[in-house]
Amino acid sequence: MSRQSNRTTDSKKMNSELFTLTYGALVTQLCKDYENDEEVNKQLDKMGYNIGVRLIEDFLARSSIGRCQDFRETADVIAKVAFKMYLGTTPSVTNWSPAGDEFSLILESNPLVDFVELPDNHNTLIYSNLLCGALRGSLEMVQMAVDVKFVQDTLRGDNVTEIRMKFIKRIEENLPAGDE
Amino acid sequence: MRNKEVACLERKLTGMTDEALFEFLHMEIVSHVYKEQQASNGGMDNKDRAVCVSVLEGMGFRVGQGLIERLTRDSPSFKDELDIMKFICKDFWTKVFRRQIDNLRTNHQGTYVLQDNKFALLTQLSNGKQYLDHAPKYLAFSCGMVRGALSNIGLDSVVTAEVSVMPSCKFQVVIQKL
C-alpha cells in the first residue's frame, strides 16, 4: 500500500534502527547497573510506564481516534493503529477470554529485538518489557487499569512473541501519573 | 468503531512516527540516568552531573557505531577528513535527525563546528533561553553518536555541544591526531 520513495523507506528503516539500537544500549546499561534480571525488568517496566503516560497524548493527537466503546475496540486500536504507527508492525489479536476481558497480541516480528541475542546469563530478562509498561501507562491515561505481560518471546526461543493484556477495571478518577 | 474508520487510518499511516518513539525513549533515558545518580548519591553535584553526561555519551557512542556501519556499507570510501565531516553533516544527520546540518565551519586543522538551528532533541524543551541549563543533558547522547560514528570511520575525536538559544545548537568536533 505504500507509495514511499526509496529515500523515505530508508529513512524509516534508519529511524527504527536508531530506536532499536538505542533500546539495546539502554538494556545493556541497565544490565550493568543492576544486579539481577528481575530488577532490570522492573526498571524497563517503570520507564515504559513513564513513556506511555506521555505517548498516549501523541497518539491521540496523531490518530484523532475517539473513545473506544469496549475492550475489543481497544484491542483493535492498539494492534492496528498504535503498533502500526509506532513500531511499523501489526500484531494479531487472539485468544480472547470468554468474559472478553483478556486477549493476546501476537507479534510475528518485534522491531526491538532486531539483531539481538540474549547472552546465557540472562535467562529471566524480559528484553522488551518497556512495551508492557508503555501499554499500561497509556491505557491508564484513558481510564483503563490493565495488566500486561509477555507470555512468549522469540528471544527466549519461542516461535512467536505474545503479549497478554488483561482488563482490571475502569479508573473513575484521574490518578496522579508517575510510578516512583 | 467503526471498523471502516480503523481501516481508513491503517491506510493513512505512513510510519513517520518512528522519530517520536526515539525522542520519547531518549527523554526517558536522560530522566532515568539523572534520577538514578541522584538516588544513589543523595544529591546532584558537578561530579554527579559529569557521571550522567558520561553515561549518556557512552550509550550514544555505541549507537553511533551501529548506525554508521549500516549507512556506509554501500558507500565508496571517503576522500579525506573534510569529506567525512560533510557526510556526517548531510547523510548521517539526515538519517538520524531528519535534517541536514545548517552550517559547517572548520579551521582546516582538525576542528569542526556543526550548527543545527532546529535540533530535533531540543525543540520540545523550549524556544529561547528557558531551561538552558538543562540542555546539556539532552545533547550528551547525540555527542556520543557523532563520536561513535566517526570512530567507526576511523577517526578518533572529542565531541562537545553548546547551546545559547534553543533549539539551535553547535557541535564541536576535534579530530585527535595520533
Side-chain angles (χ1 to χ4, degrees):
Chain A
M1 194 76 232
S2 71
R3 285 192 205 115
Q4 291 166 336
S5 69
N6 260 343
R7 199 157 50 90
T8 317
T9 311
D10 281 347
S11 180
K12 176 184 156 68
K13 252 180 48 173
M14 175 59 70
N15 280 327
S16 84
E17 278 171 17
L18 173 60
F19 179 76
T20 301
L21 287 171
T22 302
Y23 189 74
L26 169 65
V27 178
T28 303
Q29 186 66 39
L30 291 177
C31 289
K32 259 194 261 177
D33 291 342
Y34 297 102
E35 301 277 304
N36 56 59
D37 290 349
E38 260 320 293
E39 195 52 45
V40 177
N41 293 340
K42 241 176 60 179
Q43 287 299 321
L44 284 172
D45 181 77
K46 217 195 317 195
M47 293 178 74
Y49 177 88
N50 290 340
I51 290 175
V53 301
R54 293 192 192 93
L55 195 67
I56 185 71
E57 272 180 41
D58 184 82
F59 173 71
L60 292 174
R62 287 180 202 267
S63 65
S64 315
I65 292 236
R67 187 167 286 286
C68 291
Q69 296 298 335
D70 56 31
F71 204 46
R72 276 185 189 265
E73 244 184 72
T74 306
D76 258 358
V77 169
I78 290 173
K80 294 188 185 146
V81 188
F83 263 83
K84 181 68 190 275
M85 189 186 275
Y86 291 109
L87 295 173
T89 181
T90 305
S92 44
V93 179
T94 62
N95 293 353
W96 278 98
S97 63
D101 63 346
E102 239 183 285
F103 67 91
S104 288
L105 291 165
I106 310 275
L107 283 82
E108 300 291 318
S109 77
N110 179 358
L112 270 64
V113 308
D114 285 342
F115 311 115
V116 171
E117 261 176 43
L118 282 185
D120 288 331
N121 55 336
H122 287 288
N123 294 329
T124 50
L125 181 67
I126 308 172
Y127 184 85
S128 308
N129 213 30
L130 192 102
L131 274 182
C132 296
L135 285 164
R136 192 167 58 85
S138 310
L139 288 175
E140 190 174 298
M141 291 299 107
V142 289
Q143 270 65 56
M144 273 182 266
V146 294
D147 187 62
V148 190
K149 58 175 186 270
F150 277 89
V151 295
Q152 288 193 80
D153 193 347
T154 50
L155 268 191
R156 311 249 287 263
D158 299 311
N159 286 335
V160 291
T161 296
E162 181 183 351
I163 298 175
R164 191 91 185 134
M165 292 191 66
K166 182 180 166 76
F167 180 82
I168 309 284
K169 64 174 188 202
R170 192 149 280 275
I171 304 170
E172 293 309 330
E173 330 217 320
N174 278 328
L175 294 177
D179 207 11
E180 273 95 58
Chain B
M1 240 197 201
R2 322 174 243 170
N3 274 330
K4 236 173 28 179
E5 264 172 301
V6 175
C8 192
L9 253 174
E10 271 182 282
R11 283 198 292 276
K12 269 208 285 196
L13 293 172
T14 59
M16 298 269 282
T17 43
D18 301 336
E19 55 263 26
L21 211 47
F22 167 71
E23 279 162 32
F24 278 107
L25 181 62
H26 174 261
M27 279 199 93
E28 182 55 29
I29 290 174
V30 172
S31 174
H32 169 86
V33 167
Y34 278 79
K35 258 189 275 186
E36 289 301 302
Q37 186 70 17
Q38 176 121 18
S40 66
N41 278 30
M44 179 65 59
D45 60 19
N46 281 334
K47 208 164 71 125
D48 293 313
R49 279 191 203 95
V51 170
C52 292
V53 165
S54 173
V55 168
L56 290 166
E57 210 269 355
M59 290 176 70
F61 183 82
R62 300 168 55 101
V63 173
Q65 285 184 309
L67 284 172
I68 205 75
E69 226 178 87
R70 299 196 200 0
L71 243 189
T72 54
R73 203 165 26 199
D74 303 317
S75 309
S77 49
F78 299 102
K79 286 197 309 239
D80 54 24
E81 199 176 273
L82 185 59
D83 207 29
I84 294 175
M85 292 312 297
K86 285 186 183 164
F87 180 84
I88 297 287
C89 292
K90 293 214 257 257
D91 301 68
F92 184 78
W93 221 259
T94 302
K95 297 298 188 181
V96 179
F97 300 113
R98 294 168 324 282
R99 56 186 279 113
Q100 293 189 13
I101 283 288
D102 293 298
N103 192 308
L104 171 67
R105 295 216 305 272
T106 178
N107 63 0
H108 295 288
Q109 285 172 45
T111 298
Y112 301 84
V113 177
L114 290 65
Q115 184 167 334
D116 185 329
N117 290 328
K118 221 174 142 200
F119 188 58
L121 299 177
L122 287 179
T123 51
Q124 301 296 324
L125 265 185
S126 91
N127 246 336
K129 304 253 177 193
Q130 201 185 21
Y131 303 124
L132 196 58
D133 50 351
H134 290 276
K137 295 181 186 178
Y138 298 96
L139 299 172
F141 187 87
S142 300
C143 287
M145 280 203 282
V146 174
R147 190 170 66 87
L150 288 171
S151 166
N152 253 33
I153 302 180
L155 289 179
D156 256 341
S157 62
V158 173
V159 183
T160 51
E162 69 173 39
V163 187
S164 48
V165 178
M166 293 201 259
S168 166
C169 74
K170 293 189 182 146
F171 289 85
Q172 177 168 279
V173 178
V174 181
I175 306 295
Q176 309 293 294
K177 304 292 185 208
L178 291 160

